[in-house]
Amino acid sequence: MALAAQAPTRRRRMTQSRWAPWLYLSPALILLVVWIYWPLVDALRLSFYQWNMLPNSPQIYVGWNNYTRIFALPKFWQSLRNTGIYIFGILPLAVLIPLAIAIYTHDLPERSRNIYRAIIFVPMIIAPVVAAAVWRWLLDPGYGLVNQMLQGIGFKPVKFLSDPNTAIWTVILITGWKLIGFSTLILSAANANINPSLVEAARMDGASKWEIIRDIRLPLLSSTALFLVVMTILLGAQWSFTYINVLTGGGPLGSTSNIYYLLWDFGFSTMSVGWGSAAAVILFLGFGAVAFVLFRLIDRYTFHDN
Amino acid sequence: MTTDVLRAPRPMARPLRRISDKSGLDTAAGHVLMVLLSILCLFPVYWMLASSLRPANAMFETSLWPTSMSLDNYRQALEAIPIGRMLVNTLVFSVVSTAFQLLTGLLAAFAFARWTFALDKLVYSAVALTWLVPFQVVMIPNYLLIAQMGLLDSIVALILPNLVSALAILLLAQAMRSFPREVIEAARMDGARNWRILWEVMVPNLRGTIASLAILIFISTWNEYFWPLLLSRTAENSVIQIGIQMFMTAEGNQWGPLMAASTLASLPVLVIYVVLQRQVVQSFMKSGIR
Amino acid sequence: MADLTLSNLKKSYDGKPVLHGVDITIPDGHFVVIVGPSGCGKSTLLRMIAGLEEVTSGTISIGETVMNDIEPADRGCAMVFQNYALYPHMTVRQNIAYPLRIAKLPRAERDSKVEAVAKILNLTEYLDRRPAQLSGGQRQRVAMGRAMVREPDVFLFDEPLSNLDALLRVQMRIEIKKLHRRLKATSVFVTHDQVEAMTLADTLIVMNAGRVEQIGSPAEVYRKPASVFVAGFMGAPAMNLFPAAIGAGGALVIDAPTGGVGIGRTSLAEGTPVTVGVRPENLLLSETAGAGLPATVDFVEELGGSRVAYCTLGDREIAATLPPGDQQLEGRPVWLTLPPEALHLYDRITGQRIDVPVHAARSSIPSAFAPSM
Ligand SMILES: Nc1ncnc2c1ncn2[C@@H]1O[C@H](COP(=O)(O)OP(=O)(O)O)[C@@H](O)[C@H]1O
Ligand SMILES: [Mg+2]
């Protein structure tokens, strides 16, 4: 045999693997603590103080004052209600319509599906600020294309963003515009992932087209749809933040403000750290509770198609 | 007795139906639906591009195709704000954030995938939870921290909270866990220590996941608005998203330059998208809902 | 010198014991096969030798060195995994060379070693392919090559052939045996396949539920299974096992439809509860009425070179091997003889072999005497 005998090797003891994982974790953990966990604690502390963010002005302890004042504020309840409107307004755009489209278009040929896919995904990668700018231009009451076309067919121009009755729906539609293609893709992918032999089996059993949708496709899509619903409930109002900030500033008359926007408003427009922090704590607890319930629901109602 | 459900007579003879072909009508309706959706999704982007190329006197025309083209809007936008500088800032912000999120993510994910250690599940959940903390909740303390460091209005301040992301850690940990354990053990038998296993065995085999994650982080960071909004004081130290916003808060709307700036801000991402369309879509679909 | 010694080796996962104290000494150069049903702890044992699992208690030594907490790479062991565990992103050449690269061998030396190994394993023309471009058998050989190139004191194989199809498995089995003759390195080979075990082993170790049941040459293990478990596990079709009793004068009695039947005579005390075993190939089956115990053939399995008849004797099933032929037996009454010299006796309580000879029965026992079982 051509192989020569190896020299006796040095034998290393097994390294203490007790510390190794922490070493690898430390950069991430330190950063997460500094930028998320410590700030959470700090927000909780600051929520009991009154302070205007200037380094040399005093922090005054005010106990639960910030909380009671916020709860007494009509603006808070208005924003909370608007948060609900945002979520329920976005749901059809982010889940229902895409679900219908995904089911309806599942047997389009591969080639055209790919083209549609490439196109309807575009809004997802467009920056929210850019989307806001473009829609602001399209919806401009004087010269925007939409209003010009409305006038062209004999309507009065609509003040999409400055009418308190329509502004929130305009922001919802823009948020939905960013999401609708993406959701459609997710649901189409889930739909395409349904094991074709299930559908074939149902056909062998004599199920009609509609029965296949009702008994096979919808149940098997339900976990993906439910996931989208949960994400929309949790994040829908957050997604709208940029549009509110850029397009309406929460107005007119607070009609488009939601809880995230209010938070920003407290913190950085009025420079009231205490209020901002108290609102943050309220938001965090509310958000946590909702998230907890929703994830329990997902666990309960999701089943897997293997 | 176990006789014999299977041999029982059929409940009812069904009428025999012909195999229904895929009805052409349904497919056509599907196409119509998709074309409408495509127009809805693409038209605003097209309109941005078209408007940015219209000369000032044709700004309010509604013809779909600009009758005459000019780069005036771009010139005006460049004069109004330091767009070049802002694009470079955005690029630095995005590239550095992406690199660091990948790095910290790979290291942490490796710890989760390679070892079981005391508290590992707890730490993993703690990481996962941060994915759900809305940024608005921690923005004030973060802002104060940056202010204390004296870093307000700087690119470094933009980057600092973006050096780590739960998403990167979770996604990479998932990918690493599904990597065959035996291959890692083979590497250990071959004499590779952890550092080597991570970089010579894990990383080369996770290239797909890493690339798709990189795309996702880069695009999200490029489009980031909220955090820069808090920190920005001067245009020179801001990102392009803030630049666009500056146009809109100005008195009156300069639609032309606004569309030009928006186009410039979108171009890098659109170019990436055109080149890597499949990967971009996939990486967002895997994890990009946030 | 690379004797591999395991003494009182134990392993538990979260307090749940998986290995209950294993003592084995494997002399230098031996090919040892550990065989046992899946889940019995074979892989765990092998991975402890390799250093991939921590030792709960006991010691592992190679030569004079206690290896319990030595790095896997420094134990002088190389391992071949069931699913090959090749590095997917490296070529065959890089895969085989990787241990040498880590050991910082100079390039030229590395290349020549890789070439030499590739030549032995007939891999030379595949050196620049990646694992995904290889067949199962080729991947298997690359895994072997990566182990060989390190020139280890001990080769560890964890069911390396079980992902191959039947034909290839036989081929690789032979290749591994040849390779061992050539390299003469201590080898520990884990499998649940008894044919593999019998054909490869110098020494066979039968394991069950975290314990060693028997250590011996394949022939020994086959001829004198040390426990009921080994008796039932080694051999296909499996040995027939059934309860029996010791009657007056050491008579060995089983119950048949006709009542208790003496089938032999032993020196055991009356009342000892025993299990009797007899291999199908040692059973004599006759169609002549009265020649042994009456039974009915249920079902005949055709194996080509022989046939196996599954018979019902009372309420138990007994398999008997028949020479090839085509007479119709299914459903027919037959008579079975259990030759006393081919019977294995086991303590029914401990399951351990009772090594006493069985002689022919003097006479048949009256049925009234049937002992209760
Ligand atoms: N990492 C582990 N954690 C807990 N139990 C394990 C682990 N690995 C193996 N076991 C258990 O140890 C027993 C032996 O497993 P193994 O050695 O893989 O068996 P074999 O290789 O003989 O099939 C099995 O019951 C298995 O469930
Ligand atoms: Mg095993």
Side-chain angles (χ1 to χ4, degrees):
Chain A
M1 203 176 143
L3 308 179
Q6 228 165 4
T9 42
R10 195 168 52 88
R11 301 209 145 113
R12 294 165 302 182
R13 310 234 125 222
M14 280 215 235
T15 36
Q16 282 300 311
S17 68
R18 183 131 24 110
W19 293 110
W22 295 102
L23 204 63
Y24 281 81
L25 278 172
S26 54
L29 288 189
I30 290 170
L31 285 165
L32 286 175
V33 167
V34 169
W35 296 109
I36 295 184
Y37 279 105
W38 170 247
L40 277 177
V41 176
D42 208 30
L44 184 64
R45 182 184 67 87
L46 287 170
S47 73
F48 295 108
Y49 286 82
Q50 191 184 357
W51 184 37
N52 64 5
M53 218 181 270
L54 299 177
N56 39 16
S57 74
Q59 300 184 1
I60 303 160
Y61 181 78
V62 294
W64 293 93
N65 248 0
N66 292 325
Y67 289 94
T68 49
R69 302 266 285 286
I70 286 177
F71 282 125
L73 207 65
K75 220 159 87 173
F76 173 76
W77 297 106
Q78 185 190 22
S79 295
L80 206 60
R81 200 177 54 241
N82 285 345
T83 307
I85 296 178
Y86 274 109
I87 288 169
F88 287 101
I90 293 169
L91 270 179
L93 296 167
V95 186
L96 284 186
I97 298 175
L99 185 62
I101 299 176
I103 290 179
Y104 203 72
T105 59
H106 80 95
D107 54 1
L108 292 184
E110 183 74 16
R111 243 175 79 85
S112 44
R113 264 232 303 272
N114 286 340
I115 296 172
Y116 294 135
R117 190 170 95 135
I119 294 174
I120 64 179
F121 185 76
V122 168
M124 191 67 191
I125 53 161
I126 294 291
V129 183
V130 171
V134 173
W135 279 105
R136 182 165 158 135
W137 169 217
L138 281 167
L139 299 175
D140 182 71
Y143 306 104
L145 184 68
V146 174
N147 270 320
Q148 293 209 34
M149 279 164 61
L150 284 179
Q151 280 169 290
I153 53 176
F155 284 95
K156 277 202 191 151
V158 181
K159 292 183 172 166
F160 287 101
L161 290 165
S162 46
D163 180 337
N165 292 320
T166 55
I168 190 170
W169 299 106
T170 308
V171 175
I172 286 173
L173 282 174
I174 296 172
T175 313
W177 174 77
K178 278 271 289 175
L179 288 171
I180 191 166
F182 179 67
S183 296
T184 306
L185 288 187
I186 296 230
L187 288 162
S188 290
N191 196 15
N193 258 344
I194 290 177
N195 188 342
S197 52
L198 287 176
V199 174
E200 281 157 13
R203 280 185 64 183
M204 298 287 289
D205 292 343
S208 71
K209 213 167 170 176
W210 164 242
E211 281 166 336
I212 288 176
I213 290 176
R214 190 193 59 194
D215 299 336
I216 311 281
R217 294 197 181 273
L218 278 178
L220 289 178
L221 287 175
S222 64
S223 54
T224 308
L226 189 62
F227 173 76
L228 286 174
V229 168
V230 167
M231 285 300 139
T232 307
I233 293 176
L234 288 180
L235 307 174
Q238 270 182 77
W239 290 326
S240 305
F241 176 87
T242 305
Y243 312 112
I244 303 171
N245 179 260
V246 173
L247 295 176
T248 68
L253 306 173
S255 66
T256 57
S257 170
N258 68 21
I259 192 80
Y260 295 94
Y261 191 78
L262 188 74
L263 217 66
W264 183 82
D265 199 39
F266 280 163
F268 290 90
S269 300
T270 57
M271 296 301 250
S272 154
V273 172
W275 283 44
S277 299
V281 171
I282 295 168
L283 172 66
F284 180 65
L285 294 179
F287 186 89
V290 172
F292 180 77
V293 170
L294 289 175
F295 284 123
R296 291 296 290 272
L297 280 182
I298 284 194
D299 266 357
R300 168 103 52 98
Y301 289 109
T302 302
F303 58 96
H304 298 282
D305 160 39
N306 294 319
Chain B
M1 283 283 282
T2 55
T3 47
D4 221 352
V5 190
L6 291 176
R7 294 203 184 153
R10 280 183 215 185
M12 180 180 66
R14 281 178 179 254
L16 302 178
R17 293 169 298 183
R18 290 201 176 274
I19 294 175
S20 63
D21 322 270
K22 287 201 173 152
S23 95
L25 213 62
D26 268 12
T27 313
H31 278 295
V32 170
L33 202 58
M34 289 311 277
V35 168
L36 285 177
L37 185 63
S38 301
I39 292 175
L40 177 72
C41 289
L42 204 55
F43 182 77
V45 180
Y46 167 75
W47 195 244
M48 164 182 83
L49 208 72
S51 305
S52 77
L53 291 170
R54 284 179 207 272
N57 57 4
M59 203 57 219
F60 304 130
E61 282 178 7
T62 52
S63 64
L64 284 184
W65 191 251
T67 42
S68 57
M69 293 219 230
S70 110
L71 290 175
D72 265 6
N73 291 328
Y74 288 86
R75 194 178 42 72
Q76 273 186 46
L78 287 166
E79 278 166 9
I81 53 170
I83 287 189
R85 176 74 192 263
M86 292 176 121
L87 282 172
V88 171
N89 288 346
T90 317
L91 189 70
V92 172
F93 175 41
S94 307
V95 168
V96 176
S97 299
T98 307
F100 270 92
Q101 284 183 40
L102 288 178
L103 181 67
T104 55
L106 280 168
L107 292 175
F110 186 68
F112 288 124
R114 169 76 178 76
W115 291 282
T116 48
F117 49 94
L119 304 179
D120 53 356
K121 298 226 169 55
L122 186 77
V123 176
Y124 191 79
S125 315
V127 170
L129 273 183
T130 63
W131 186 77
L132 278 176
V133 176
F135 184 70
Q136 282 88 343
V137 170
V138 292
M139 66 181 177
I140 293 176
N142 278 0
Y143 178 87
L144 294 173
L145 196 58
I146 293 287
Q148 262 170 23
M149 296 172 164
L151 290 173
L152 285 177
D153 198 30
S154 71
I155 300 294
V156 179
L158 286 181
I159 293 171
L160 277 178
N162 284 300
L163 293 177
V164 67
S165 79
L167 181 74
I169 298 174
L170 302 183
L171 226 64
L172 289 169
Q174 216 180 349
M176 285 187 188
R177 277 181 180 150
S178 60
F179 188 72
R181 200 169 64 127
E182 285 82 0
V183 177
I184 309 231
E185 287 171 346
R188 284 182 68 196
M189 302 276 312
D190 284 347
R193 315 304 291 266
N194 296 317
W195 188 250
R196 235 184 150 121
I197 293 178
L198 172 60
W199 296 108
E200 286 184 5
V201 179
M202 279 289 194
V203 169
N205 284 298
L206 294 180
R207 273 178 305 202
T209 308
I210 293 172
S212 113
L213 192 58
I215 292 173
L216 186 68
I217 300 173
F218 181 88
I219 294 181
S220 326
T221 316
W222 184 277
N223 291 344
E224 174 74 51
Y225 172 65
F226 189 78
W227 181 234
L229 175 68
L230 297 192
L231 293 185
S232 293
R233 295 289 177 280
T234 57
E236 281 72 26
N237 292 323
S238 284
V239 293
I240 188 70
Q241 310 299 341
I242 301 299
I244 299 170
Q245 184 246 5
M246 283 171 174
F247 267 104
M248 283 184 279
T249 45
E251 304 261 310
N253 284 306
Q254 299 175 281
W255 294 117
L258 176 60
M259 290 302 110
S262 297
T263 306
L264 287 177
S266 310
L267 265 180
V269 171
L270 285 176
V271 166
I272 292 178
Y273 184 63
V274 169
V275 177
L276 298 173
Q277 185 251 326
R278 247 165 207 287
Q279 288 87 327
V280 174
V281 173
Q282 260 158 25
S283 54
F284 271 76
M285 280 175 62
K286 243 194 266 165
S287 45
I289 189 124
R290 181 92 201 228
Chain C
M1 274 302 93
D3 291 0
L4 173 61
T5 313
L6 313 180
S7 42
N8 199 18
L9 197 62
K10 293 186 182 174
K11 175 74 186 175
S12 343
Y13 288 110
D14 308 321
K16 196 188 109 224
V18 170
L19 292 179
H20 309 268
V22 171
D23 288 287
I24 302 175
T25 302
I26 299 170
D28 188 31
H30 260 234
F31 200 113
V32 171
V33 177
I34 302 177
V35 66
S38 40
C40 72
K42 308 177 298 283
S43 296
T44 306
L45 182 62
L46 200 69
R47 291 162 53 80
M48 283 165 80
I49 299 172
L52 297 171
E53 299 283 349
E54 270 177 40
V55 173
T56 306
S57 72
T59 57
I60 300 168
S61 25
I62 297 177
E64 301 296 300
T65 325
V66 174
M67 291 292 179
N68 282 28
D69 35 59
I70 302 293
E71 277 285 324
D74 296 346
R75 295 185 179 204
C77 299
M79 186 146 164
V80 179
F81 294 83
Q82 175 172 354
N83 52 12
Y84 321 130
L86 301 179
Y87 307 117
H89 60 297
M90 298 185 193
T91 61
V92 170
R93 185 191 305 278
Q94 291 166 328
N95 260 285
I96 298 178
Y98 193 58
L100 305 179
R101 212 179 93 203
I102 292 174
K104 300 203 174 68
L105 248 68
R107 190 172 189 113
E109 202 175 332
R110 239 193 282 163
D111 287 347
S112 70
K113 287 197 177 202
V114 171
E115 303 280 345
V117 165
K119 206 164 148 215
I120 296 173
L121 293 168
N122 282 327
L123 285 168
T124 310
E125 50 186 313
Y126 306 109
L127 276 175
D128 293 311
R129 294 207 195 165
R130 281 178 211 274
Q133 301 163 308
L134 299 177
S135 71
Q138 290 161 347
R139 287 181 211 180
Q140 180 56 61
R141 288 209 294 273
V142 178
M144 301 266 303
R146 191 175 58 184
M148 280 165 58
V149 80
R150 295 175 48 201
E151 297 159 47
D153 298 329
V154 180
F155 277 100
L156 305 172
F157 299 88
D158 192 356
E159 311 211 9
L161 306 182
S162 52
N163 283 0
L164 301 177
D165 59 52
L167 205 62
L168 210 52
R169 200 181 306 176
V170 176
Q171 260 172 28
M172 283 304 299
R173 199 164 83 198
I174 295 167
E175 275 187 52
I176 289 179
K177 191 73 186 174
K178 280 188 192 158
L179 216 57
H180 176 250
R181 295 233 167 97
R182 183 164 175 180
L183 302 177
K184 297 194 177 57
T186 312
S187 304
V188 184
F189 187 107
V190 158
T191 181
H192 65 267
D193 179 322
Q194 44 165 313
V195 181
E196 231 167 79
M198 298 291 286
T199 51
L200 278 171
D202 296 333
T203 303
L204 196 56
I205 299 176
V206 186
M207 278 185 66
N208 181 37
R211 291 199 168 80
V212 171
E213 295 271 338
Q214 186 169 11
I215 302 181
S217 71
E220 260 166 32
V221 171
Y222 190 80
R223 284 195 207 119
K224 293 190 156 194
S227 64
V228 172
F229 171 81
V230 179
F233 185 73
M234 298 300 292
M239 185 189 281
N240 299 297
L241 290 163
F242 33 83
I246 302 295
L252 180 60
V253 182
I254 62 169
D255 70 340
T258 52
V261 176
I263 54 169
R265 196 162 41 80
T266 67
S267 55
L268 297 173
E270 181 174 353
T272 315
V274 295
T275 301
V276 175
V278 58
R279 293 211 181 270
E281 63 264 34
N282 295 333
L283 267 177
L284 302 174
L285 183 146
S286 155
E287 287 190 86
T288 318
L293 304 169
T296 315
V297 177
D298 241 4
F299 180 72
V300 176
E301 225 175 37
E302 181 63 63
L303 297 177
S306 64
R307 293 179 299 160
V308 184
Y310 294 93
C311 314
T312 333
L313 176 70
D315 52 1
R316 80 180 54 103
E317 185 165 84
I318 290 189
T321 308
L322 308 176
D326 14 69
Q327 74 270 39
Q328 250 309 321
L329 280 175
E330 292 186 2
R332 302 273 286 276
V334 290
W335 284 265
L336 299 170
T337 309
L338 287 62
E341 68 281 1
L343 299 181
H344 305 259
L345 290 183
Y346 297 95
D347 186 322
R348 214 188 306 156
I349 315 292
T350 64
Q352 293 305 303
R353 183 179 184 84
I354 306 175
D355 240 334
V356 294
V358 183
H359 306 288
R362 240 171 272 142
S363 63
S364 139
I365 311 282
S367 53
F369 190 73
S372 59
M373 278 171 217

